[in-house]
């Protein structure tokens, strides 16, 4: 079988179409609107095995820099791992993993990925090891009615305002992704169009899920607020508990529990990422590619 490995081809209409077709069959996803809306930037690079002009297998590299205790760390996330059914069991993902390792060796402080249960024995062959993550929750006693306004993320004006808020925020988690707005916009322009809330007086955006009295805060972008509890209070007295999709700077009052997601295991590579388990951190929920 003759093949070539291609990367950085998002501007190639034919290969991008083939990539989207395979992503659709594998995950039920299309990246086309993300591309056409201008959010697919240099941070997301598919590495693909090309056979007869089509994508036969893929592993994508997503640059995800994080701030930890005031210092920016350079990390990579691997994702969108998929193989066309005709070409499975031929070692194509192994070839891609070897090429990525060659290209990025000593150029990142760590690499992480999320694997389903069927491939838990595969990634340790490339130096990855399982890592626990931790989720933070707290009971709250808010007062008054909600002061948050839902913002439907269905067009360029809403997207632009959120992007501006992301660039001007003073809020920061302890282990927070930076300089990758495209990944956050992937979520809010697709699956989370109705999960964005805004409070004008504090210039605060919150990306959140609400179920019963539980508020799950994926992220906060605020021009004034620095604490998650302040943002949670804006949702009013109906909220009895908050759960964070990120690690708070101040953990007093929060219960930390090991986070387990069905059919999803975190793997890390690199000493810098050992701190996730050791420091009871969580890779932010909106930093999953």
């Amino acid at each position: 079988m003759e093949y070539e490995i291609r990367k950085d081809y998002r501007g190639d209409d034919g290969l991008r179409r083939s990539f989207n077709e395979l992503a659709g069959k594998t995950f039920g996803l299309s990246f086309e609107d993300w591309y056409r809306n201008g959010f697919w930037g240099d941070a997301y690079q598919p590495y693909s095995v090309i056979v007869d002009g089509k994508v036969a297998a893929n592993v994508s590299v997503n640059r995800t820099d994080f701030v930890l205790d005031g210092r920016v760390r350079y990390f990579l996330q691997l994702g969108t791992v998929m193989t066309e059914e005709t070409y499975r069991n031929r070692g194509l993902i192994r070839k891609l993993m070897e090429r990525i390792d060659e290209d990025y060796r000593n150029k990142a402080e760590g690499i992480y990925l999320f694997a389903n249960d069927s491939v838990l024995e595969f990634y340790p062959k490339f130096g990855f090891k399982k890592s626990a993550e931790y989720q933070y929750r707290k009971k709250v006693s808010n007062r008054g009615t909600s002061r948050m306004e839902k913002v439907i993320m269905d067009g360029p004006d809403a997207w632009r305002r959120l992007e501006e808020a992301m660039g001007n925020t003073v809020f920061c988690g302890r282990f927070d992704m930076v300089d990758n707005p495209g990944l956050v916009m992937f979520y809010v322009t697709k699956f989370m169009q109705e999960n964005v809330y805004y409070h004008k007086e504090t210039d605060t955006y919150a990306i959140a899920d609400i179920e019963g009295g539980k508020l799950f805060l994926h992220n906060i972008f605020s021009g004034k607020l620095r604490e998650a509890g302040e943002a949670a209070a804006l949702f009013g007295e109906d909220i009895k508990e908050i759960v964070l999709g990120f690690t708070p700077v101040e953990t007093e009052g929060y219960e930390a529990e090991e986070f387990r997601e069905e059919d999803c295991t975190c793997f890390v590579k690199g000493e810098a990422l050992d701190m996730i388990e050791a420091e009871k951190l969580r890779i932010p929920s909106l930093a999953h590619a």
Side-chain angles (χ1 to χ4, degrees), residues 176-209:
D176 223 12
M177 184 173 66
V178 294
D179 298 329
N180 194 337
L183 185 50
V184 175
M185 298 306 290
F186 179 81
Y187 281 97
V188 300
T189 60
K190 295 174 74 68
F191 322 110
M192 296 183 170
Q193 288 191 14
E194 299 189 3
N195 293 87
V196 179
Y197 298 83
Y198 182 65
H199 182 248
K200 184 176 181 180
E201 286 75 9
T202 58
D203 190 24
T204 298
Y205 279 90
I207 303 174
D209 287 300

PDB file of all heavy atoms in Angstrom, residues 176-209:
ATOM      1  N   ASP A 176      -5.070  26.981  33.637  1.00  0.00           N
ATOM      2  CA  ASP A 176      -5.998  27.556  32.664  1.00  0.00           C
ATOM      3  C   ASP A 176      -5.372  27.579  31.277  1.00  0.00           C
ATOM      4  O   ASP A 176      -4.206  27.956  31.117  1.00  0.00           O
ATOM      5  CB  ASP A 176      -6.348  28.982  33.084  1.00  0.00           C
ATOM      6  CG  ASP A 176      -7.818  29.288  32.931  1.00  0.00           C
ATOM      7  OD1 ASP A 176      -8.601  28.352  32.719  1.00  0.00           O
ATOM      8  OD2 ASP A 176      -8.184  30.466  33.030  1.00  0.00           O
ATOM      9  N   MET A 177      -6.156  27.202  30.262  1.00  0.00           N
ATOM     10  CA  MET A 177      -5.679  27.252  28.893  1.00  0.00           C
ATOM     11  C   MET A 177      -5.607  28.698  28.413  1.00  0.00           C
ATOM     12  O   MET A 177      -6.498  29.503  28.683  1.00  0.00           O
ATOM     13  CB  MET A 177      -6.600  26.443  27.983  1.00  0.00           C
ATOM     14  CG  MET A 177      -6.125  26.361  26.545  1.00  0.00           C
ATOM     15  SD  MET A 177      -7.133  25.236  25.532  1.00  0.00           S
ATOM     16  CE  MET A 177      -8.712  26.107  25.509  1.00  0.00           C
ATOM     17  N   VAL A 178      -4.552  29.028  27.676  1.00  0.00           N
ATOM     18  CA  VAL A 178      -4.381  30.376  27.129  1.00  0.00           C
ATOM     19  C   VAL A 178      -4.040  30.286  25.646  1.00  0.00           C
ATOM     20  O   VAL A 178      -3.513  29.286  25.161  1.00  0.00           O
ATOM     21  CB  VAL A 178      -3.269  31.159  27.869  1.00  0.00           C
ATOM     22  CG1 VAL A 178      -3.663  31.423  29.309  1.00  0.00           C
ATOM     23  CG2 VAL A 178      -1.939  30.417  27.814  1.00  0.00           C
ATOM     24  N   ASP A 179      -4.357  31.359  24.923  1.00  0.00           N
ATOM     25  CA  ASP A 179      -3.959  31.508  23.513  1.00  0.00           C
ATOM     26  C   ASP A 179      -4.508  30.415  22.608  1.00  0.00           C
ATOM     27  O   ASP A 179      -3.872  30.060  21.611  1.00  0.00           O
ATOM     28  CB  ASP A 179      -2.433  31.573  23.387  1.00  0.00           C
ATOM     29  CG  ASP A 179      -1.850  32.780  24.107  1.00  0.00           C
ATOM     30  OD1 ASP A 179      -2.538  33.810  24.175  1.00  0.00           O
ATOM     31  OD2 ASP A 179      -0.717  32.685  24.608  1.00  0.00           O
ATOM     32  N   ASN A 180      -5.682  29.884  22.926  1.00  0.00           N
ATOM     33  CA  ASN A 180      -6.329  28.937  22.032  1.00  0.00           C
ATOM     34  C   ASN A 180      -7.835  29.208  22.015  1.00  0.00           C
ATOM     35  O   ASN A 180      -8.635  28.349  22.383  1.00  0.00           O
ATOM     36  CB  ASN A 180      -6.048  27.495  22.454  1.00  0.00           C
ATOM     37  CG  ASN A 180      -6.403  26.486  21.364  1.00  0.00           C
ATOM     38  OD1 ASN A 180      -7.216  26.779  20.493  1.00  0.00           O
ATOM     39  ND2 ASN A 180      -5.803  25.315  21.408  1.00  0.00           N
ATOM     40  N   PRO A 181      -8.236  30.406  21.581  1.00  0.00           N
ATOM     41  CA  PRO A 181      -9.674  30.713  21.565  1.00  0.00           C
ATOM     42  C   PRO A 181     -10.446  29.821  20.609  1.00  0.00           C
ATOM     43  O   PRO A 181     -11.633  29.577  20.798  1.00  0.00           O
ATOM     44  CB  PRO A 181      -9.718  32.179  21.126  1.00  0.00           C
ATOM     45  CG  PRO A 181      -8.436  32.389  20.373  1.00  0.00           C
ATOM     46  CD  PRO A 181      -7.424  31.531  21.077  1.00  0.00           C
ATOM     47  N   GLY A 182      -9.772  29.317  19.565  1.00  0.00           N
ATOM     48  CA  GLY A 182     -10.460  28.487  18.588  1.00  0.00           C
ATOM     49  C   GLY A 182     -11.066  27.243  19.187  1.00  0.00           C
ATOM     50  O   GLY A 182     -12.144  26.793  18.761  1.00  0.00           O
ATOM     51  N   LEU A 183     -10.393  26.661  20.189  1.00  0.00           N
ATOM     52  CA  LEU A 183     -10.916  25.441  20.807  1.00  0.00           C
ATOM     53  C   LEU A 183     -12.182  25.735  21.606  1.00  0.00           C
ATOM     54  O   LEU A 183     -13.157  24.980  21.551  1.00  0.00           O
ATOM     55  CB  LEU A 183      -9.844  24.802  21.695  1.00  0.00           C
ATOM     56  CG  LEU A 183     -10.182  23.455  22.322  1.00  0.00           C
ATOM     57  CD1 LEU A 183     -10.706  22.475  21.282  1.00  0.00           C
ATOM     58  CD2 LEU A 183      -8.945  22.876  23.018  1.00  0.00           C
ATOM     59  N   VAL A 184     -12.191  26.837  22.352  1.00  0.00           N
ATOM     60  CA  VAL A 184     -13.393  27.227  23.088  1.00  0.00           C
ATOM     61  C   VAL A 184     -14.529  27.526  22.105  1.00  0.00           C
ATOM     62  O   VAL A 184     -15.682  27.111  22.311  1.00  0.00           O
ATOM     63  CB  VAL A 184     -13.120  28.453  23.975  1.00  0.00           C
ATOM     64  CG1 VAL A 184     -14.413  28.924  24.657  1.00  0.00           C
ATOM     65  CG2 VAL A 184     -12.065  28.129  25.026  1.00  0.00           C
ATOM     66  N   MET A 185     -14.201  28.207  21.009  1.00  0.00           N
ATOM     67  CA  MET A 185     -15.227  28.544  20.035  1.00  0.00           C
ATOM     68  C   MET A 185     -15.757  27.307  19.313  1.00  0.00           C
ATOM     69  O   MET A 185     -16.902  27.311  18.840  1.00  0.00           O
ATOM     70  CB  MET A 185     -14.679  29.561  19.028  1.00  0.00           C
ATOM     71  CG  MET A 185     -14.270  30.892  19.653  1.00  0.00           C
ATOM     72  SD  MET A 185     -15.560  31.691  20.645  1.00  0.00           S
ATOM     73  CE  MET A 185     -16.713  32.175  19.361  1.00  0.00           C
ATOM     74  N   PHE A 186     -14.954  26.260  19.231  1.00  0.00           N
ATOM     75  CA  PHE A 186     -15.443  24.994  18.660  1.00  0.00           C
ATOM     76  C   PHE A 186     -16.659  24.510  19.450  1.00  0.00           C
ATOM     77  O   PHE A 186     -17.649  24.061  18.882  1.00  0.00           O
ATOM     78  CB  PHE A 186     -14.335  23.947  18.702  1.00  0.00           C
ATOM     79  CG  PHE A 186     -14.741  22.601  18.160  1.00  0.00           C
ATOM     80  CD1 PHE A 186     -14.754  22.353  16.798  1.00  0.00           C
ATOM     81  CD2 PHE A 186     -15.131  21.576  19.017  1.00  0.00           C
ATOM     82  CE1 PHE A 186     -15.133  21.113  16.287  1.00  0.00           C
ATOM     83  CE2 PHE A 186     -15.515  20.340  18.521  1.00  0.00           C
ATOM     84  CZ  PHE A 186     -15.518  20.111  17.157  1.00  0.00           C
ATOM     85  N   TYR A 187     -16.570  24.626  20.772  1.00  0.00           N
ATOM     86  CA  TYR A 187     -17.677  24.179  21.627  1.00  0.00           C
ATOM     87  C   TYR A 187     -18.884  25.105  21.516  1.00  0.00           C
ATOM     88  O   TYR A 187     -20.005  24.654  21.305  1.00  0.00           O
ATOM     89  CB  TYR A 187     -17.220  24.100  23.078  1.00  0.00           C
ATOM     90  CG  TYR A 187     -16.435  22.867  23.415  1.00  0.00           C
ATOM     91  CD1 TYR A 187     -15.040  22.889  23.437  1.00  0.00           C
ATOM     92  CD2 TYR A 187     -17.066  21.666  23.708  1.00  0.00           C
ATOM     93  CE1 TYR A 187     -14.311  21.755  23.743  1.00  0.00           C
ATOM     94  CE2 TYR A 187     -16.347  20.526  24.021  1.00  0.00           C
ATOM     95  CZ  TYR A 187     -14.970  20.574  24.031  1.00  0.00           C
ATOM     96  OH  TYR A 187     -14.253  19.440  24.330  1.00  0.00           O
ATOM     97  N   VAL A 188     -18.658  26.410  21.688  1.00  0.00           N
ATOM     98  CA  VAL A 188     -19.808  27.310  21.824  1.00  0.00           C
ATOM     99  C   VAL A 188     -20.501  27.585  20.497  1.00  0.00           C
ATOM    100  O   VAL A 188     -21.645  28.067  20.487  1.00  0.00           O
ATOM    101  CB  VAL A 188     -19.413  28.634  22.511  1.00  0.00           C
ATOM    102  CG1 VAL A 188     -18.860  28.375  23.897  1.00  0.00           C
ATOM    103  CG2 VAL A 188     -18.440  29.434  21.670  1.00  0.00           C
ATOM    104  N   THR A 189     -19.853  27.308  19.369  1.00  0.00           N
ATOM    105  CA  THR A 189     -20.532  27.489  18.088  1.00  0.00           C
ATOM    106  C   THR A 189     -21.180  26.205  17.602  1.00  0.00           C
ATOM    107  O   THR A 189     -21.879  26.217  16.584  1.00  0.00           O
ATOM    108  CB  THR A 189     -19.551  27.994  17.007  1.00  0.00           C
ATOM    109  OG1 THR A 189     -18.502  27.039  16.829  1.00  0.00           O
ATOM    110  CG2 THR A 189     -18.968  29.342  17.393  1.00  0.00           C
ATOM    111  N   LYS A 190     -20.978  25.094  18.328  1.00  0.00           N
ATOM    112  CA  LYS A 190     -21.535  23.822  17.900  1.00  0.00           C
ATOM    113  C   LYS A 190     -22.466  23.246  18.968  1.00  0.00           C
ATOM    114  O   LYS A 190     -23.669  23.374  18.905  1.00  0.00           O
ATOM    115  CB  LYS A 190     -20.407  22.833  17.566  1.00  0.00           C
ATOM    116  CG  LYS A 190     -19.579  23.287  16.355  1.00  0.00           C
ATOM    117  CD  LYS A 190     -18.395  22.404  16.106  1.00  0.00           C
ATOM    118  CE  LYS A 190     -18.750  21.062  15.504  1.00  0.00           C
ATOM    119  NZ  LYS A 190     -19.264  21.191  14.128  1.00  0.00           N
ATOM    120  N   PHE A 191     -21.894  22.629  20.006  1.00  0.00           N
ATOM    121  CA  PHE A 191     -22.690  21.896  20.992  1.00  0.00           C
ATOM    122  C   PHE A 191     -23.236  22.779  22.107  1.00  0.00           C
ATOM    123  O   PHE A 191     -24.166  22.389  22.808  1.00  0.00           O
ATOM    124  CB  PHE A 191     -21.858  20.786  21.646  1.00  0.00           C
ATOM    125  CG  PHE A 191     -20.937  20.089  20.687  1.00  0.00           C
ATOM    126  CD1 PHE A 191     -19.569  20.257  20.767  1.00  0.00           C
ATOM    127  CD2 PHE A 191     -21.442  19.260  19.707  1.00  0.00           C
ATOM    128  CE1 PHE A 191     -18.722  19.614  19.895  1.00  0.00           C
ATOM    129  CE2 PHE A 191     -20.612  18.616  18.826  1.00  0.00           C
ATOM    130  CZ  PHE A 191     -19.241  18.792  18.910  1.00  0.00           C
ATOM    131  N   MET A 192     -22.631  23.951  22.303  1.00  0.00           N
ATOM    132  CA  MET A 192     -22.967  24.772  23.467  1.00  0.00           C
ATOM    133  C   MET A 192     -23.479  26.153  23.076  1.00  0.00           C
ATOM    134  O   MET A 192     -23.237  27.127  23.773  1.00  0.00           O
ATOM    135  CB  MET A 192     -21.750  24.908  24.387  1.00  0.00           C
ATOM    136  CG  MET A 192     -21.292  23.611  25.005  1.00  0.00           C
ATOM    137  SD  MET A 192     -19.897  23.863  26.143  1.00  0.00           S
ATOM    138  CE  MET A 192     -19.805  22.248  26.906  1.00  0.00           C
ATOM    139  N   GLN A 193     -24.213  26.233  21.985  1.00  0.00           N
ATOM    140  CA  GLN A 193     -24.734  27.531  21.564  1.00  0.00           C
ATOM    141  C   GLN A 193     -25.668  28.142  22.599  1.00  0.00           C
ATOM    142  O   GLN A 193     -25.803  29.362  22.669  1.00  0.00           O
ATOM    143  CB  GLN A 193     -25.470  27.391  20.227  1.00  0.00           C
ATOM    144  CG  GLN A 193     -24.567  27.160  19.037  1.00  0.00           C
ATOM    145  CD  GLN A 193     -25.311  27.296  17.721  1.00  0.00           C
ATOM    146  OE1 GLN A 193     -26.435  27.805  17.664  1.00  0.00           O
ATOM    147  NE2 GLN A 193     -24.698  26.855  16.645  1.00  0.00           N
ATOM    148  N   GLU A 194     -26.319  27.304  23.409  1.00  0.00           N
ATOM    149  CA  GLU A 194     -27.262  27.813  24.408  1.00  0.00           C
ATOM    150  C   GLU A 194     -26.728  27.685  25.829  1.00  0.00           C
ATOM    151  O   GLU A 194     -27.498  27.691  26.789  1.00  0.00           O
ATOM    152  CB  GLU A 194     -28.595  27.078  24.269  1.00  0.00           C
ATOM    153  CG  GLU A 194     -29.252  27.285  22.909  1.00  0.00           C
ATOM    154  CD  GLU A 194     -30.664  26.737  22.843  1.00  0.00           C
ATOM    155  OE1 GLU A 194     -31.162  26.252  23.874  1.00  0.00           O
ATOM    156  OE2 GLU A 194     -31.269  26.801  21.760  1.00  0.00           O
ATOM    157  N   ASN A 195     -25.403  27.598  25.969  1.00  0.00           N
ATOM    158  CA  ASN A 195     -24.790  27.431  27.287  1.00  0.00           C
ATOM    159  C   ASN A 195     -23.954  28.633  27.706  1.00  0.00           C
ATOM    160  O   ASN A 195     -23.130  28.532  28.616  1.00  0.00           O
ATOM    161  CB  ASN A 195     -23.911  26.180  27.303  1.00  0.00           C
ATOM    162  CG  ASN A 195     -24.705  24.909  27.156  1.00  0.00           C
ATOM    163  OD1 ASN A 195     -24.972  24.468  26.044  1.00  0.00           O
ATOM    164  ND2 ASN A 195     -25.113  24.325  28.261  1.00  0.00           N
ATOM    165  N   VAL A 196     -24.150  29.756  27.047  1.00  0.00           N
ATOM    166  CA  VAL A 196     -23.364  30.956  27.347  1.00  0.00           C
ATOM    167  C   VAL A 196     -24.261  31.994  28.018  1.00  0.00           C
ATOM    168  O   VAL A 196     -25.365  32.280  27.541  1.00  0.00           O
ATOM    169  CB  VAL A 196     -22.730  31.534  26.072  1.00  0.00           C
ATOM    170  CG1 VAL A 196     -21.923  32.793  26.395  1.00  0.00           C
ATOM    171  CG2 VAL A 196     -21.829  30.493  25.405  1.00  0.00           C
ATOM    172  N   TYR A 197     -23.762  32.548  29.118  1.00  0.00           N
ATOM    173  CA  TYR A 197     -24.515  33.531  29.902  1.00  0.00           C
ATOM    174  C   TYR A 197     -23.668  34.788  30.084  1.00  0.00           C
ATOM    175  O   TYR A 197     -22.437  34.722  30.102  1.00  0.00           O
ATOM    176  CB  TYR A 197     -24.880  32.954  31.274  1.00  0.00           C
ATOM    177  CG  TYR A 197     -25.774  31.738  31.204  1.00  0.00           C
ATOM    178  CD1 TYR A 197     -25.247  30.470  30.985  1.00  0.00           C
ATOM    179  CD2 TYR A 197     -27.154  31.855  31.358  1.00  0.00           C
ATOM    180  CE1 TYR A 197     -26.061  29.350  30.918  1.00  0.00           C
ATOM    181  CE2 TYR A 197     -27.982  30.743  31.288  1.00  0.00           C
ATOM    182  CZ  TYR A 197     -27.428  29.490  31.069  1.00  0.00           C
ATOM    183  OH  TYR A 197     -28.235  28.387  30.998  1.00  0.00           O
ATOM    184  N   TYR A 198     -24.357  35.925  30.255  1.00  0.00           N
ATOM    185  CA  TYR A 198     -23.639  37.202  30.367  1.00  0.00           C
ATOM    186  C   TYR A 198     -24.267  38.080  31.435  1.00  0.00           C
ATOM    187  O   TYR A 198     -25.493  38.154  31.571  1.00  0.00           O
ATOM    188  CB  TYR A 198     -23.666  37.941  29.028  1.00  0.00           C
ATOM    189  CG  TYR A 198     -22.903  39.248  29.038  1.00  0.00           C
ATOM    190  CD1 TYR A 198     -21.524  39.273  29.215  1.00  0.00           C
ATOM    191  CD2 TYR A 198     -23.581  40.459  28.881  1.00  0.00           C
ATOM    192  CE1 TYR A 198     -20.826  40.465  29.228  1.00  0.00           C
ATOM    193  CE2 TYR A 198     -22.887  41.666  28.885  1.00  0.00           C
ATOM    194  CZ  TYR A 198     -21.508  41.669  29.057  1.00  0.00           C
ATOM    195  OH  TYR A 198     -20.815  42.847  29.069  1.00  0.00           O
ATOM    196  N   HIS A 199     -23.381  38.762  32.201  1.00  0.00           N
ATOM    197  CA  HIS A 199     -23.818  39.747  33.196  1.00  0.00           C
ATOM    198  C   HIS A 199     -23.151  41.074  32.855  1.00  0.00           C
ATOM    199  O   HIS A 199     -21.924  41.203  32.932  1.00  0.00           O
ATOM    200  CB  HIS A 199     -23.423  39.303  34.609  1.00  0.00           C
ATOM    201  CG  HIS A 199     -23.887  40.232  35.683  1.00  0.00           C
ATOM    202  ND1 HIS A 199     -23.024  40.992  36.435  1.00  0.00           N
ATOM    203  CD2 HIS A 199     -25.147  40.532  36.133  1.00  0.00           C
ATOM    204  CE1 HIS A 199     -23.709  41.710  37.300  1.00  0.00           C
ATOM    205  NE2 HIS A 199     -24.990  41.452  37.146  1.00  0.00           N
ATOM    206  N   LYS A 200     -23.966  42.047  32.436  1.00  0.00           N
ATOM    207  CA  LYS A 200     -23.436  43.294  31.891  1.00  0.00           C
ATOM    208  C   LYS A 200     -22.655  44.110  32.922  1.00  0.00           C
ATOM    209  O   LYS A 200     -21.575  44.633  32.620  1.00  0.00           O
ATOM    210  CB  LYS A 200     -24.590  44.135  31.328  1.00  0.00           C
ATOM    211  CG  LYS A 200     -24.129  45.423  30.650  1.00  0.00           C
ATOM    212  CD  LYS A 200     -25.311  46.157  30.035  1.00  0.00           C
ATOM    213  CE  LYS A 200     -24.847  47.438  29.346  1.00  0.00           C
ATOM    214  NZ  LYS A 200     -25.999  48.168  28.726  1.00  0.00           N
ATOM    215  N   GLU A 201     -23.172  44.236  34.140  1.00  0.00           N
ATOM    216  CA  GLU A 201     -22.560  45.124  35.132  1.00  0.00           C
ATOM    217  C   GLU A 201     -21.126  44.715  35.464  1.00  0.00           C
ATOM    218  O   GLU A 201     -20.283  45.574  35.746  1.00  0.00           O
ATOM    219  CB  GLU A 201     -23.398  45.166  36.411  1.00  0.00           C
ATOM    220  CG  GLU A 201     -24.686  45.962  36.282  1.00  0.00           C
ATOM    221  CD  GLU A 201     -25.768  45.228  35.491  1.00  0.00           C
ATOM    222  OE1 GLU A 201     -25.579  44.022  35.191  1.00  0.00           O
ATOM    223  OE2 GLU A 201     -26.792  45.852  35.174  1.00  0.00           O
ATOM    224  N   THR A 202     -20.842  43.422  35.460  1.00  0.00           N
ATOM    225  CA  THR A 202     -19.482  42.966  35.760  1.00  0.00           C
ATOM    226  C   THR A 202     -18.740  42.510  34.507  1.00  0.00           C
ATOM    227  O   THR A 202     -17.614  42.041  34.596  1.00  0.00           O
ATOM    228  CB  THR A 202     -19.508  41.805  36.770  1.00  0.00           C
ATOM    229  OG1 THR A 202     -20.297  40.729  36.234  1.00  0.00           O
ATOM    230  CG2 THR A 202     -20.075  42.254  38.100  1.00  0.00           C
ATOM    231  N   ASP A 203     -19.389  42.667  33.345  1.00  0.00           N
ATOM    232  CA  ASP A 203     -18.804  42.245  32.068  1.00  0.00           C
ATOM    233  C   ASP A 203     -18.300  40.803  32.171  1.00  0.00           C
ATOM    234  O   ASP A 203     -17.146  40.494  31.889  1.00  0.00           O
ATOM    235  CB  ASP A 203     -17.650  43.184  31.677  1.00  0.00           C
ATOM    236  CG  ASP A 203     -17.162  42.937  30.257  1.00  0.00           C
ATOM    237  OD1 ASP A 203     -17.939  42.415  29.430  1.00  0.00           O
ATOM    238  OD2 ASP A 203     -15.991  43.251  29.981  1.00  0.00           O
ATOM    239  N   THR A 204     -19.212  39.913  32.577  1.00  0.00           N
ATOM    240  CA  THR A 204     -18.847  38.526  32.852  1.00  0.00           C
ATOM    241  C   THR A 204     -19.604  37.565  31.943  1.00  0.00           C
ATOM    242  O   THR A 204     -20.835  37.596  31.898  1.00  0.00           O
ATOM    243  CB  THR A 204     -19.150  38.167  34.322  1.00  0.00           C
ATOM    244  OG1 THR A 204     -18.349  38.992  35.175  1.00  0.00           O
ATOM    245  CG2 THR A 204     -18.856  36.704  34.608  1.00  0.00           C
ATOM    246  N   TYR A 205     -18.865  36.730  31.241  1.00  0.00           N
ATOM    247  CA  TYR A 205     -19.422  35.607  30.502  1.00  0.00           C
ATOM    248  C   TYR A 205     -19.171  34.326  31.289  1.00  0.00           C
ATOM    249  O   TYR A 205     -18.087  34.143  31.843  1.00  0.00           O
ATOM    250  CB  TYR A 205     -18.761  35.456  29.132  1.00  0.00           C
ATOM    251  CG  TYR A 205     -19.281  36.383  28.063  1.00  0.00           C
ATOM    252  CD1 TYR A 205     -18.706  37.637  27.870  1.00  0.00           C
ATOM    253  CD2 TYR A 205     -20.331  35.999  27.234  1.00  0.00           C
ATOM    254  CE1 TYR A 205     -19.175  38.482  26.873  1.00  0.00           C
ATOM    255  CE2 TYR A 205     -20.808  36.846  26.237  1.00  0.00           C
ATOM    256  CZ  TYR A 205     -20.221  38.087  26.063  1.00  0.00           C
ATOM    257  OH  TYR A 205     -20.682  38.911  25.076  1.00  0.00           O
ATOM    258  N   ALA A 206     -20.156  33.458  31.314  1.00  0.00           N
ATOM    259  CA  ALA A 206     -19.988  32.133  31.916  1.00  0.00           C
ATOM    260  C   ALA A 206     -20.500  31.100  30.926  1.00  0.00           C
ATOM    261  O   ALA A 206     -21.587  31.255  30.353  1.00  0.00           O
ATOM    262  CB  ALA A 206     -20.752  32.027  33.236  1.00  0.00           C
ATOM    263  N   ILE A 207     -19.705  30.069  30.702  1.00  0.00           N
ATOM    264  CA  ILE A 207     -20.136  28.940  29.884  1.00  0.00           C
ATOM    265  C   ILE A 207     -20.528  27.849  30.862  1.00  0.00           C
ATOM    266  O   ILE A 207     -19.681  27.373  31.636  1.00  0.00           O
ATOM    267  CB  ILE A 207     -19.018  28.488  28.931  1.00  0.00           C
ATOM    268  CG1 ILE A 207     -18.588  29.667  28.062  1.00  0.00           C
ATOM    269  CG2 ILE A 207     -19.503  27.324  28.061  1.00  0.00           C
ATOM    270  CD1 ILE A 207     -17.386  29.373  27.178  1.00  0.00           C
ATOM    271  N   ALA A 208     -21.803  27.485  30.871  1.00  0.00           N
ATOM    272  CA  ALA A 208     -22.307  26.681  31.976  1.00  0.00           C
ATOM    273  C   ALA A 208     -23.442  25.758  31.553  1.00  0.00           C
ATOM    274  O   ALA A 208     -24.167  26.024  30.590  1.00  0.00           O
ATOM    275  CB  ALA A 208     -22.791  27.599  33.099  1.00  0.00           C
ATOM    276  N   ASP A 209     -23.578  24.667  32.327  1.00  0.00           N
ATOM    277  CA  ASP A 209     -24.741  23.782  32.251  1.00  0.00           C
ATOM    278  C   ASP A 209     -25.502  23.915  33.565  1.00  0.00           C
ATOM    279  O   ASP A 209     -24.881  23.943  34.646  1.00  0.00           O
ATOM    280  CB  ASP A 209     -24.308  22.323  32.071  1.00  0.00           C
ATOM    281  CG  ASP A 209     -23.790  22.029  30.678  1.00  0.00           C
ATOM    282  OD1 ASP A 209     -24.550  22.219  29.722  1.00  0.00           O
ATOM    283  OD2 ASP A 209     -22.631  21.605  30.553  1.00  0.00           O
TER     284      ASP A 209
END
